[in-house]
Amino acid sequence: MPTATPLAPRLVQGGIVTLDPDTSVVQSVIALQYNPDSLSRTLQIQSTPGTQDGARVDALRLRGPAVETIKLDAEFDATDQLEYPQQYPLATQYGLHPQLAQLEMLINPSVETLLADDAMANAGTLEIIPLEQPLTLFVWSRSRVLPVRLTEFTVTEEAFDVALNPIRAKVSLSMRVLNIDDLGFAHPGGRLFMSYLTLKEQFASQAAMPALTVLGLGGLPS
């Protein structure tokens, strides 16, 4: 099994963190086994719509932050671990079940929560409302710590051991970044989004601005 040499740079892994939305206490940390080779981001502009009666509107006005969607494919492989059963007994017994289940619990309420809510509902002491999940953060370096809601989750299991445990799999994730319109300024996720947007502004201010001549202009038309 290959090991990193002392001279090799430390690889930062992407992953997902969940927080208690009330206390901001970290509940779980999930590191992707392999960083995806690509990550796609789509930003939907929140512009002010025009009116059907032809009334004049401010075309430069924004209603709020752009709605950002992130998609990636994460690969998981237990093949190397199976060569060392003493060192990785869980991989030998269960394959990738623990890693996949950890991700799937991001979109499922716990059994304890379901049973507790059912008991309270049967006792007439609870109004049925959607179950609140922990605050989910997508972490892709120190520059991107984003509050997200998973919108699509697909698992493709590609290989199995003799007990039909998955030992190689690909997980496709789609996430919508939650901004202040979703969470508000006081919410922990809202504050994290504002930090993300502030960092964007700082990066933008550091980008070099070429002269108009680069664009073939001596000045702007009057």
Side-chain angles (χ1 to χ4, degrees), residues 16 70 103-107 136-138 147-153 171-178:
I16 294 174
I70 298 173
L103 287 169
E104 290 176 41
M105 288 310 299
L106 294 172
I107 55 173
T136 302
L137 307 178
F138 175 61
V148 297
R149 178 174 64 241
L150 271 69
T151 57
E152 187 175 346
F153 188 108
V171 177
S172 299
L173 299 176
S174 293
M175 298 166 279
R176 181 188 183 280
V177 177
L178 300 176

Side-chain angles (χ1 to χ4, degrees), residues 109-119 131:
S110 67
V111 172
E112 180 182 5
T113 300
L114 288 172
L115 292 176
D117 286 356
D118 181 63
L131 298 172

Side-chain angles (χ1 to χ4, degrees), residues 139-157:
V139 180
W140 192 258
S141 82
R142 298 177 63 179
S143 300
R144 292 179 182 169
V145 181
L146 312 173
V148 297
R149 178 174 64 241
L150 271 69
T151 57
E152 187 175 346
F153 188 108
T154 303
V155 180
T156 304
E157 299 177 359

Side-chain angles (χ1 to χ4, degrees), residues 3 11-12 18 62 89 98 102 131 146 166 182 184 215-216 219:
T3 57
L11 178 65
V12 175
T18 62
L62 296 174
Q102 189 180 32
L131 298 172
L146 312 173
D182 304 301
L215 307 179

Side-chain angles (χ1 to χ4, degrees), residues 56-84:
R56 182 180 179 184
V57 295
D58 189 347
L60 302 180
R61 194 177 299 278
L62 296 174
R63 292 187 289 114
V67 176
E68 184 173 357
T69 302
I70 298 173
K71 296 183 179 180
L72 61 88
D73 292 331
E75 296 183 357
F76 296 86
D77 195 332
T79 305
D80 290 343
Q81 296 179 3
L82 294 177
E83 296 180 6
Y84 303 87

Side-chain angles (χ1 to χ4, degrees), residues 41-52:
R41 300 189 299 121
T42 302
L43 285 83
Q44 181 181 358
I45 303 169
Q46 298 301 294
S47 58
T48 302
T51 58
Q52 294 182 352

